[in-house]
Amino acid sequence: MGRTDWGRLLKWPFTTVTALACLWLVFRIYASGQPLWALAALGLFGLGFFVYLSNVAFAYRYLFPGLAGMLVFVAFPLLYTVQIGFTNYSSSNLLSYERATAYLLEQTTPGEGHGWGFALHPDGQRLRLVLAPGQADDDEQPETRAERSLVTPPLALGGAQEIKLEPLAASGFKPGEPLPLGAVLKNRQALAALKLVLPDGAALSYAGVREFAPLVPTFTREAEGVLKQTATGVVFRANRDTGFYEDGAGERLQPGFKVGIGLGNYLRMVEDPEFRGPFIRIFVWTVVFAALTVLFTLAVGTTLAVVLNWEALRFRTVYRTLLFLPYAVPGFISILVFKGLFNQNFGEINLILNTLFGIKPAWFADPFLAKVMILLVNTWLGYPYIMVLCTGLIKAIPADLYEASAIAGAKPLTNFWKITAPLIVKPLTPLLIASFAFNFNNFVLIALLTNGRPDFLNTKVPAGTTDILVSYTYRIAFQDSGQNFGLAAAISTIIFFLVAMLSMANLKLAKVNDERK
Amino acid sequence: MAIVTGKSQRWRLLGAHLFLIALICVTVFPLLAIVSISLRPGNFATGSLIPETISFEHWKLALGIPYEAADGSLVQPPFPVLRWLWNSVKIAGISAFLIVAISTTAAYAFARLKFRFKTQILNSMLLLQMFPAVLALVAIYAIFEAIGSYVPWLGIETHAGLIVAYLGGCAMHVWTIRGYFDTIPVEIEECAKVDGATHWQAFRYVLLPMAVPILMVVFVLAFIGAVIEYPVASILLRQEHNLTLAVGSKYFLYEQRYLWGDFAAAAVLSGLPITLVFLFAQKWIVSGLTAGGVKG
């Protein structure tokens, strides 16, 4: 009973602490200008507390962690992907409108007008900057210059720093001989990172080896969505269709912001010929790849299952274990092993082919051979799964069927086509569809073996002849230049629908099977 | 089987043996080749399947020990393989443990408790699981970037974040465990409840001990699944010391830097334990695959 008492005693303090932590997090998300996310987090946490504190939702206590995980990391990403597909989210349009505007307004440039001459003075181990208005070689008496001079506290150079200046006279610092120009040049980068704040609040930044100049905001806000470039007076307006601030001539400011572009990404797949060409070829190859993989693994797998089911054959367990090996070796290792073995110049496979036939095929450079290689490797990887499934299904076929056929004098091939095949094809179909869907999205194989290469020439978006849709999407989103998340998400959405259709067909077939049993 | 044996039987048997042996040669060749390559000196050298000179240079590098080359220079390990292995084992171990914990409790609710939307939740879980995570990578990346800006230890480039991402994919395991719970008679727990046990006690002290075999299977499946997972790990982890084996192994075989021998040693070092676990658990895994796959 002691444990229960402790549980009761700790329940409320524990709940309070957790609740406070959650509320603090929600508040931080809200304070950073993301009210919708804050609301979503509040909803999730609130649901959690309701589930664990209320007696109404008793059964959900067991389900909450798993379901919350699936909601946040499986279901939500699906919906979010679809949503991103309708935006121009990319490396050039990474920020929201508010944050992009704020970023542009924060930009400063050293303005024209009166600069401050400066000199570097050693102060113990550290340095001080002494600034005086006007150039150092102005004809001004050193005494009056010293009166109006400002000085920084002792500082260590390096990294971006914001430093307050104080009048030299009040600081009690007696500047000696300044450091030579060489020392200034050497510290140029560190000096350029400094932002010096005058007593009146204006800021100075490094403007040359002798001068710090006042900072001017690069842009000023004229009206909502209108920015004026201070130096030139050019007006930039926020374009809600392209996601950039643009001037009359179409000049764009970086960074752009995220906007919804409706069906833009989808239209691009259909209308833009330079994009449509590779897209269609990749789509066709994806289907061919998945279909042929299923076909080849099915052929090898069933043959082996039938042969290994032949009771007159000895050493069947040994054979089966050895043939199961490709399934047991982790995929990322065996795929990379094949990548090395197929290497054109020092791969073992070309070594053997060269000795036997005197040929050295360019497995990675020739698009057709690369596809052949991918299919060979994937058949190697995939047949044990089909073999295991078929072995189970064949065991379930009643033996008297074969006895009857033997009396009729049937040959093994007749047995296979008339008895075995028709009986295993029904339960096997949903599994084959699942295997097709898996290979349709077999990203790891392509990414590790060829990475989509060899590439198409002259395409706008990098695309390879061996890319399947998912690896293509990955490349658009995470590799090469551009990082076009919106386009990648749109392609993902299309694949979602294809997978969903396959899954529906699969469930229907599985149901039909179940009813027959 | 009482099939009448014809004259051709012996020839067919011989043919079958030859066919199987040929196929096994093709199957086992890459695996033997990689062992042999790991023992050969040099990164480009090709040689016979049984190496003429055996050198442990690649193995030393894979284990993180620098070795002295023929010209007297000290060769440093190209990549922290042991660190990657440890990362993989840590991430996979913790996530498999947590997956077993949350799937077991969820499976208990589905198998034994009555509540609203039960079948709907079960079916939508199965549907959701059919969409591979590769497709939602952009969204997953964006989510973890957002989480990381508020809770830094759960963001991008953290192992905790990756573990949490793996926890989301527990639906198939819930189905597998639920299928097993369905085979255990309810009466046993009801007896415990008559004796005054609560739901939780009946689950913890009566049902759970009987389900240990299936929990082991799910643990092994989840562990292997996390070790070999590539896409999500590749976008969440980028820094060299942070990678898992699946992501890191790729760096051995770049066009410009082709460390074939070093890769071979690292591959055998890391692949062998997983392969042995898989072969050892083969029987249960196959039954687990078929149980969770189609029927529930």
Side-chain angles (χ1 to χ4, degrees):
Chain A
M1 281 314 279
R3 279 181 57 210
T4 334
D5 287 336
W6 273 111
R8 283 210 186 119
L9 211 62
L10 284 175
K11 181 178 170 188
W12 287 110
F14 180 74
T15 313
T16 318
V17 170
T18 325
L20 282 177
C22 291
L23 282 176
W24 178 74
L25 192 64
V26 169
F27 177 73
R28 270 191 61 190
I29 300 174
Y30 176 77
S32 67
Q34 307 270 7
L36 280 179
W37 288 111
L39 198 67
L42 189 67
L44 192 70
F45 291 140
L47 199 64
F49 281 106
F50 172 72
V51 163
Y52 283 100
L53 295 176
S54 144
N55 284 325
V56 181
F58 177 75
Y60 286 96
R61 282 184 202 181
Y62 292 93
L63 292 174
F64 185 74
L67 287 185
M70 288 191 49
L71 273 183
V72 177
F73 298 108
V74 182
F76 176 67
L78 287 182
L79 295 176
Y80 193 35
T81 305
V82 176
Q83 194 260 326
I84 293 174
F86 292 107
T87 69
N88 64 346
Y89 190 28
S90 64
S91 56
S92 60
N93 298 62
L94 209 53
L95 304 174
S96 65
Y97 167 71
E98 289 78 17
R99 280 176 62 194
T101 311
Y103 177 86
L104 288 170
L105 285 174
E106 271 171 22
Q107 297 306 300
T108 50
T109 35
E112 293 177 16
H114 230 49
W116 292 64
F118 77 95
L120 271 178
H121 290 271
D123 182 9
Q125 291 294 312
R126 301 188 157 199
L127 292 168
R128 281 182 189 242
L129 282 165
V130 177
L131 292 97
Q135 288 296 320
D137 46 5
D138 281 353
D139 330 316
E140 203 176 343
Q141 289 301 315
E143 291 79 31
T144 50
R145 277 180 65 82
E147 234 166 67
R148 294 165 57 203
S149 287
L150 299 174
V151 69
T152 62
L155 51 101
L157 288 176
Q161 302 181 48
E162 192 176 310
I163 292 150
K164 281 220 158 66
L165 294 166
E166 49 181 337
L168 179 61
S171 71
F173 176 61
K174 295 270 175 292
E177 199 57 22
L179 292 176
L181 201 60
V184 177
L185 285 173
K186 217 174 70 187
N187 289 312
R188 208 162 28 181
Q189 279 199 332
L191 288 170
L194 292 182
K195 184 176 169 191
L196 304 181
V197 182
L198 295 174
D200 66 5
L204 302 177
S205 76
Y206 184 73
V209 286
R210 287 172 182 281
E211 202 176 40
F212 268 75
L215 281 176
V216 187
T218 318
F219 301 99
T220 46
R221 191 203 289 263
E222 291 279 285
E224 180 59 36
V226 183
L227 296 181
K228 193 168 109 183
Q229 196 161 27
T230 322
T232 58
V234 178
V235 172
F236 289 85
R237 286 171 198 282
N239 186 333
R240 300 280 179 170
D241 294 325
T242 58
F244 286 100
Y245 275 97
E246 294 174 346
D247 67 0
E251 193 74 27
R252 289 171 167 183
L253 294 181
Q254 292 288 348
F257 47 88
K258 219 177 353 175
V259 287
I261 52 166
L263 292 171
N265 288 319
Y266 296 94
L267 289 178
R268 208 175 151 191
M269 285 177 232
V270 184
E271 284 174 350
D272 185 346
E274 281 180 66
F275 185 76
R276 186 180 54 200
F279 181 79
I280 291 176
R281 288 169 74 179
I282 287 171
F283 182 80
V284 171
W285 160 240
T286 310
V287 175
V288 169
F289 159 76
L292 286 181
T293 300
V294 172
L295 191 70
F296 292 159
T297 49
L298 179 69
V300 180
T302 29
T303 313
L304 285 175
V306 170
V307 173
L308 288 173
N309 213 42
W310 191 11
E311 286 185 5
L313 199 72
R314 290 175 67 195
F315 313 119
R316 287 189 300 164
T317 341
V318 183
Y319 285 147
R320 200 170 283 153
T321 310
L322 284 174
L323 289 169
F324 185 73
L325 269 178
Y327 199 72
V329 179
F332 71 92
I333 287 177
S334 36
I335 294 168
L336 286 171
V337 167
F338 274 108
K339 184 179 178 178
L341 291 178
F342 272 107
N343 188 294
Q344 196 190 348
N345 292 318
F346 23 81
E348 272 62 13
I349 288 175
N350 272 7
L351 191 80
I352 294 171
L353 288 179
N354 198 20
T355 344
L356 292 180
F357 310 108
I359 48 167
K360 271 190 166 188
W363 296 105
F364 288 93
D366 183 277
F368 176 74
L369 286 177
K371 288 177 181 177
V372 171
M373 171 182 73
I374 285 176
L375 285 172
L376 283 175
V377 172
N378 210 20
T379 308
W380 187 90
L381 288 167
Y383 79 83
Y385 175 64
I386 306 278
M387 180 182 85
V388 169
L389 290 176
C390 285
T391 309
L393 293 174
I394 290 174
K395 282 224 177 89
I397 299 175
D400 45 4
L401 286 179
Y402 293 103
E403 282 170 28
S405 84
I407 291 168
K411 289 262 162 29
L413 267 184
T414 328
N415 271 345
F416 177 76
W417 288 115
K418 298 276 177 196
I419 302 174
T420 318
L423 280 173
I424 61 172
V425 77
K426 281 254 164 57
L428 207 53
T429 317
L431 296 163
L432 292 182
I433 294 180
S435 160
F436 180 86
F438 172 80
N439 281 298
F440 196 86
N441 297 308
N442 197 339
F443 169 73
V444 179
L445 176 76
I446 305 291
L448 292 183
L449 193 59
T450 63
N451 209 359
R453 272 166 256 287
D455 278 353
F456 290 120
L457 302 170
N458 311 324
T459 48
K460 267 189 189 166
V461 179
T465 45
T466 58
D467 259 327
I468 57 173
L469 282 174
V470 272
S471 64
Y472 180 49
T473 315
Y474 183 87
R475 279 173 80 171
I476 293 176
F478 296 105
Q479 277 180 359
D480 304 312
S481 57
Q483 296 221 324
N484 196 335
F485 295 123
L487 184 61
I491 300 178
S492 285
T493 308
I494 292 183
I495 309 178
F496 280 150
F497 280 108
L498 295 172
V499 174
M501 269 159 30
L502 283 173
S503 311
M504 303 272 248
N506 217 355
L507 282 181
K508 276 235 168 82
L509 279 169
K511 224 169 242 170
V512 171
N513 271 336
D514 276 359
E515 277 161 16
R516 293 254 169 105
K517 268 174 200 168
Chain B
M1 255 187 287
I3 297 178
V4 184
T5 42
K7 286 178 203 161
S8 55
Q9 171 88 338
R10 278 183 60 192
W11 290 110
R12 274 198 261 136
L13 262 180
L14 190 68
H17 277 293
L18 287 179
F19 167 72
L20 286 172
I21 289 169
L23 211 72
I24 284 171
C25 287
V26 174
T27 303
V28 179
F29 164 72
L31 306 173
L32 289 181
I34 201 74
V35 177
S36 137
I37 290 157
S38 77
L39 293 171
R40 265 184 231 153
N43 263 322
F44 290 122
T46 42
S48 57
L49 198 57
I50 300 154
E52 285 131 24
T53 45
I54 286 185
S55 136
F56 290 101
E57 51 180 280
H58 303 308
W59 279 95
K60 279 191 180 166
L61 295 184
L63 292 169
I65 311 164
Y67 90 99
E68 201 172 314
D71 57 359
S73 61
L74 206 62
V75 180
Q76 291 297 327
F79 297 110
V81 179
L82 285 182
R83 173 81 191 237
W84 289 346
L85 186 63
W86 166 240
N87 285 346
S88 278
V89 170
K90 182 180 79 179
I91 291 172
I94 297 176
S95 63
F97 176 78
L98 292 175
I99 282 177
V100 168
I102 62 177
S103 325
T104 314
T105 46
Y108 172 72
F110 282 121
R112 294 289 192 264
L113 302 177
K114 283 198 182 74
F115 54 92
R116 290 177 71 187
F117 309 121
K118 186 162 147 180
T119 37
Q120 286 92 328
I121 294 178
L122 259 176
N123 287 335
S124 44
M125 272 169 54
L126 198 62
L127 267 178
L128 274 183
Q129 206 64 19
M130 288 178 186
F131 296 98
V134 200
L135 293 177
L137 281 183
V138 173
I140 292 175
Y141 181 80
I143 290 174
F144 277 96
E145 203 175 35
I147 292 180
S149 61
Y150 304 112
V151 193
W153 56 270
L154 264 183
I156 284 170
E157 210 60 74
T158 61
H159 292 166
L162 190 59
I163 290 170
V164 171
Y166 289 160
L167 290 190
C170 61
M172 201 196 88
H173 302 301
V174 174
W175 273 83
T176 313
I177 300 176
R178 191 194 76 116
Y180 192 87
F181 281 169
D182 281 344
T183 64
I184 299 174
V186 194
E187 287 76 18
I188 304 180
E189 289 152 68
E190 275 167 3
C191 289
K193 278 184 203 152
V194 168
D195 289 344
T198 62
H199 268 296
W200 174 253
Q201 282 167 333
F203 166 64
R204 169 73 185 78
Y205 297 104
V206 180
L207 188 61
L208 215 51
M210 287 193 284
V212 168
I214 194 74
L215 300 188
M216 295 294 289
V217 171
V218 168
F219 182 86
V220 170
L221 279 177
F223 183 85
I224 292 176
V227 168
I228 64 175
E229 204 281 340
Y230 173 79
V232 176
S234 82
I235 56 155
L236 289 190
L237 307 176
R238 290 285 172 91
Q239 284 167 19
E240 191 176 288
H241 67 275
N242 230 352
L243 300 181
T244 62
L245 254 176
V247 183
S249 304
K250 189 185 166 184
Y251 292 104
F252 282 103
L253 302 181
Y254 264 128
E255 295 294 325
Q256 300 83 359
R257 199 160 171 242
Y258 209 76
L259 306 170
W260 190 207
D262 296 340
F263 165 75
V268 179
L269 174 75
S270 50
L272 206 60
I274 312 175
T275 308
L276 289 179
V277 169
F278 210 100
L279 280 179
F280 180 70
Q282 188 194 134
K283 218 197 266 170
W284 301 304
I285 285 168
V286 168
S287 65
L289 280 178
T290 40
V294 185
K295 294 207 296 162

